[in-house]
Amino acid sequence: MLRSLGQRPVTGSDEDPRVAELRIAVSRLRRELAALPADFPDRAIAEDELAALAAMAAGGLPEIPRLRSSLLLIAGAIGSVSALARGLGGVREAVELFGRPPGRG
C-alpha cells in the first residue's frame, strides 16, 4: 500500500528496504490466507513456505535462490485461489526486488 502512494516503509536505518517490502508482503499474504475459510489441498505447503519467507526476512538479507524456490512453491500451492491473487502478486513483486532471474528482461 505504501508503494502505491509512492512512499517507502519507515524502517530502521540499517534495514534493507527490499527486506522490509518482503516482510510486509509476506505478512499481508499470511493474514489473507489465515482469513480464507476455504480449505484446499496444498494450504499447508503455502503456510509453511510463507513461514520460511517470514523467517528469511526477519533474519536479514535472504538467499535469493531460496526466495525464488519458496515463491514457486507458494504460487503452485495457492495459484488457483483467486482470493489470494493480489497478495501473491505482492510477494512476487517483493521477491523480484532482489533481482530478476537470469533470462528475464
Side-chain angles (χ1 to χ4, degrees):
M1 180 137 69
L2 294 172
R3 290 177 76 213
S4 65
L5 299 174
Q7 299 175 355
R8 303 299 302 169
V10 177
T11 62
S13 61
D14 293 337
E15 185 175 34
D16 185 324
R18 300 172 302 172
V19 174
E21 198 71 34
L22 178 64
R23 191 172 23 82
I24 291 166
V26 167
S27 178
R28 184 177 300 128
L29 183 54
R30 288 178 89 180
R31 283 191 312 271
E32 291 173 6
L33 181 59
L36 189 68
D39 200 16
F40 51 93
D42 293 331
R43 185 180 191 128
I45 294 170
E47 291 170 344
D48 289 349
E49 289 303 318
L50 283 167
L53 282 178
M56 282 187 262
L61 195 61
E63 296 178 31
I64 295 170
R66 180 68 175 110
L67 281 178
R68 296 196 188 292
S69 175
S70 287
L71 177 61
L72 287 173
L73 287 169
I74 294 165
I78 67 174
S80 64
V81 181
S82 61
L84 300 174
R86 184 173 177 189
L88 178 59
V91 172
R92 181 191 52 79
E93 289 174 8
V95 168
E96 286 185 353
L97 291 174
F98 291 89
R100 293 188 180 271
R104 280 189 67 195

